[in-house]
Amino acid sequence: MSESTELEGRRFPAPEQLAAQANVGPDAYERAAQDRLGFWAEAADRLSWAQKWDEVLDWSNPPFAKWFVGGKLNVAYNCVDRHVEAGHGEQVAYHWEGEPGDTRTITYAQLKDDVCKAANALLELGVQAGDRVAIYMPMIPEAVVAMLACARIGAVHMVVFGGFSADALASRITDSGAVLVVTSDGGYRRGSPSALKPAVDDAVARTESVRNVLVVRRTKQDVEWSEGRDLWWHDVVDRQSTEHTPEAFDAEHPLYIMYTSGTTASPKGILHTSGGYLTQVAFTHWASFDLKADTDVFWTSADIGWVTGHSYIVYGPLANRATSIMYEGTPETPHRGRWFELIEKYKVTIMYTAPTVIRTFMKWGEDIPAGFDLSSLRLLGSVGEPINPEAWLWYHKNIGGGRCPIVDTWWQTETGAHMINPLPGVTALKPGSAQTPFPGISAKVVDDEGNELGDDSSGLLVLTEPWPSMLRTIWGDDDRYVDTYWSRFGKEVYFAGDGAKKDADGDIWLLGRVDDVMNVSGHRISTTEVESSLVAHPTVAEAAVVGASDPTTGQGIVAFVILRGNAEDSGDELVQQLRTHVAKDIGPIAKPRQIMVVQELPKTRSGKIMRRLLRDIAENRELGDVTTLTDSSVMNLIKDKLPASS
Ligand code: WTA
């Protein structure tokens, strides 16, 4: 038996003490199985509604769902005001820590004042309910304040990860029609200030819809200023009143758009709405992490530019009145123990992070976490990609001290909240498996025809019932919404794009994407998007991109390019140029790990590039079946190009 098969057989029962006091026990599964809609209605009752709904779910026109029909609420009121009204104004909402070590402690009362001021500022700038607001910021408290201010006045926020390029920002602004951009001069990254405003200037110059740019001063870098358009946050927000009466919006009022990579070059604007989204993020945050608002200190290490940040730094934790950590920088700045130092300093009890980070910590060695007091931790979470059993056990032993359950959560930008994960007080954990659909969620593994598979088999993951925090559409493109997610197996079955296996006990193991989407350090990047960036370079005629498995990042981007006739293959220099070009075009996260210049690409007779074969090459495997190739000697040509060592 190999070491990893042996590990896959191990079980970790729920710690007794945790099980005895867990927010959610085994009865949740029974309750949800008997009455799924009643179960979600009870979850929605944990929120504060200005008007109760008439109907839990309207699924009369699939795949267009309406949850909590007729209900009205204000999302920001639920995240902030109601906790202050209930006497918890002095509780800390965020312990914020900047990369250079500067700190801010923000209580719920302060957060309420800040959100009201920002809401009043947005109104003064003419932002109305339904308008889109782009947010392009580092991990500073104003980013959260801006999101909540939008939610408060019914504007739709569209956060773009600060590591994305001006191009990526421009296309998202154009697609969403944003009227305002909230940004900052820059943020701190790897020990130095990193500018954001120049990318905004560049992007906004290429778009039509933006009237104003609201700029937070963070790094004090020099910025270009466009008079009349640009405004300092401290000039406009600070002078506003701390009073603002929240208006109740329809449960289906749009809350935000988040762009994510799909199988084509243009990212999809995933639309989330208010009541159902907040219900499921709040409930899952409370149940999956057993969150105790009075005593826990919760830390999601993601950036708010990703859905994990939206759901589990902002909306879930705030709706549950959690005390959270928010950290601006990278794990190795100024030293590789930075995260552990933060856990020790703030006595973090629940840590939620990604397998790629854990594998990086593994590489750095267990002596680093061993140098800090991590005894405050009681529960750990994982998200973004499958966590391999070795990484699971390392996390369990070296960060969790052997006592903390690890909750591996499978979900997507589209699903909005956790969908498949163990419950910490209930499930006996299996390292590497996400295990069980969350109560009230119906997930199945099917074959290519959509037939449900039994235990001990692999196929495709589908969701067979609508869920409260599901995406409602792709912004401005209902047809693409239907085509992408709801056409492969009919209008009532959501195709997730992930492969999955059911083991002999019926537990679910996620096997990665089955489409042309790569997962690099937990970030979704489309192969087509990188290919179109490469062919936009004057030297490249054709490009094929694959995700090759990588011990640290999960997958690494490997590109094969054919040069234009007149382009000179300058070897390394050209490869570096191309890598930089993609990083500039899309963002550093999309920079290919490796680029190979080749004469030809393997294609099927119908002209489709055979990525499977390229992946074999990129992963140094024996070539698979080449019989459908037009010309199988192409593969030898490509292999001949490879350095002998690889
Ligand atoms: C992958 C991030 C295995 C999966 C919340 C999915 C996972 C994509 C897990 C969504 C997990 C996420 N185990 N795979 N626990 N979590 N994935 O939209 O392929 O950035 O489809 O959402 O990440 O990525 P997204």
Side-chain angles (χ1 to χ4, degrees), residues 508-559:
I508 297 175
W509 297 70
L510 279 309
L511 303 176
R513 303 288 305 187
V514 295
D515 54 14
D516 296 333
V517 176
M518 298 173 286
N519 188 328
V520 181
S521 298
H523 302 319
R524 273 164 74 168
I525 300 162
S526 127
T527 52
T528 352
E529 209 176 338
V530 179
E531 285 165 4
S532 34
S533 168
L534 284 166
V535 296
H537 192 271
T539 59
V540 177
E542 210 178 339
V545 167
V546 297
S549 64
D550 183 290
T552 307
T553 59
Q555 285 190 312
I557 303 176
V558 178

Side-chain angles (χ1 to χ4, degrees), residues 447-611:
D447 66 15
D448 283 340
E449 271 76 55
N451 304 308
E452 185 174 0
L453 295 172
D455 293 348
D456 239 345
S457 43
S458 306
L460 303 171
L461 182 72
V462 295
L463 304 168
T464 52
E465 297 287 354
W467 62 99
S469 63
M470 64 193 272
L471 75 166
R472 297 304 196 262
T473 190
I474 292 175
W475 181 255
D477 201 343
D478 285 349
D479 289 343
R480 191 174 175 200
Y481 168 66
V482 177
D483 286 351
T484 310
Y485 305 107
W486 306 92
S487 59
R488 184 149 179 176
F489 303 115
K491 274 195 189 158
E492 298 196 34
V493 177
Y494 174 89
F495 173 54
D498 276 41
K501 162 182 105 177
K502 253 187 175 181
D503 68 15
D505 305 323
D507 280 316
I508 297 175
W509 297 70
L510 279 309
L511 303 176
R513 303 288 305 187
V514 295
D515 54 14
D516 296 333
V517 176
M518 298 173 286
N519 188 328
V520 181
S521 298
H523 302 319
R524 273 164 74 168
I525 300 162
S526 127
T527 52
T528 352
E529 209 176 338
V530 179
E531 285 165 4
S532 34
S533 168
L534 284 166
V535 296
H537 192 271
T539 59
V540 177
E542 210 178 339
V545 167
V546 297
S549 64
D550 183 290
T552 307
T553 59
Q555 285 190 312
I557 303 176
V558 178
F560 297 82
V561 297
I562 300 178
L563 298 183
R564 293 195 188 175
N566 55 356
E568 197 191 327
D569 182 358
S570 57
D572 242 18
E573 197 186 319
L574 175 68
V575 164
Q576 292 316 327
Q577 252 182 38
L578 291 175
R579 293 179 69 226
T580 314
H581 163 79
V582 176
K584 208 171 152 272
D585 203 22
I586 303 174
I589 55 166
K591 189 173 185 172
R593 182 184 79 184
Q594 199 178 358
I595 296 182
M596 300 186 220
V597 178
V598 295
Q599 302 298 322
E600 281 192 71
L601 289 169
K603 289 190 182 155
T604 60
R605 294 188 179 96
S606 60
K608 246 186 123 188
I609 293 175
M610 294 189 74
R611 287 212 178 75

Side-chain angles (χ1 to χ4, degrees), residues 246-324:
E247 183 187 337
F249 293 99
D250 193 274
E252 284 298 339
H253 187 80
L255 179 63
Y256 70 83
I257 302 169
M258 161 120 287
Y259 285 84
T260 188
S261 291
T263 53
T264 65
S266 66
K268 302 173 287 198
I270 303 300
L271 180 72
H272 283 290
T273 60
S274 304
Y277 174 79
L278 196 65
T279 294
Q280 193 173 331
V281 295
F283 189 75
T284 51
H285 176 254
W286 181 75
S288 304
F289 300 134
D290 188 41
L291 190 280
K292 309 281 196 240
D294 292 330
T295 48
D296 275 320
V297 178
F298 178 79
W299 184 15
T300 293
S301 71
D303 190 284
I304 52 132
W306 309 111
V307 75
T308 304
H310 279 47
S311 298
Y312 299 104
I313 295 177
V314 183
Y315 290 113
L318 292 178
N320 288 326
R321 185 178 42 91
T323 295
S324 291

